[in-house]
Amino acid sequence: MDKRTDPVEIIARVGGVTPYSDHERAFGTWVYLASKAGWQVVEADGFAADSDRGEIGAVDVEGVRYVIRLGPRVRRLLYEVVDGHMVKRDVLAVAAWAEPVVTKESAPGWYSAEADRDGK
């Protein structure tokens, strides 16, 4: 059994609670963490990121393609003053993470010959 952290479990905490605009740094941070976990990571060719969907890039990790996304993903404790009192609450902070691109090659058995024939 592989003891490396699965790429989908690697979360790069890159920002606070406001939108994070440095997509290149967020992408690079995720790639660094995946490489540090022992994966061979290569930036995917020909991928057009869709920032409206939170996509900042794509990578190939040892034969499987992943889309790297950026958005509110990790819990963070926020301290704020409300009515003159310090209160704390959990909020979502910005992170980069990977989602696999599911294909016939990356997930054999998830597609039936009938679905292929019908174009589904």
Side-chain angles (χ1 to χ4, degrees), residues 48-64:
D50 183 350
S51 60
D52 290 340
R53 294 172 37 131
E55 299 171 350
I56 59 172
V59 294
D60 290 321
V61 179
E62 298 180 14
V64 176

Side-chain angles (χ1 to χ4, degrees), residues 14-27 29 56 70 94-95:
V14 294
V17 296
T18 58
Y20 188 78
S21 62
D22 193 347
H23 296 182
E24 188 174 320
R25 181 176 181 274
F27 181 84
T29 300
I56 59 172
L70 180 70
V94 178

Side-chain angles (χ1 to χ4, degrees), residues 8-90:
V8 299
E9 297 178 59
I10 297 170
I11 307 291
R13 291 164 172 78
V14 294
V17 296
T18 58
Y20 188 78
S21 62
D22 193 347
H23 296 182
E24 188 174 320
R25 181 176 181 274
F27 181 84
T29 300
W30 188 92
V31 169
Y32 168 77
L33 292 174
S35 298
K36 187 176 174 184
W39 295 102
Q40 297 295 320
V41 181
V42 177
E43 187 170 355
D45 293 331
F47 180 80
D50 183 350
S51 60
D52 290 340
R53 294 172 37 131
E55 299 171 350
I56 59 172
V59 294
D60 290 321
V61 179
E62 298 180 14
V64 176
R65 180 157 294 183
Y66 294 83
V67 173
I68 307 302
R69 297 190 181 277
L70 180 70
R73 178 79 175 189
V74 294
R75 295 176 71 96
R76 181 167 284 171
L77 194 56
L78 177 68
Y79 291 91
E80 60 187 347
V81 177
V82 176
D83 296 328
H85 294 85
M86 182 68 70
V87 296
K88 60 183 179 178
R89 63 185 172 104
D90 287 318

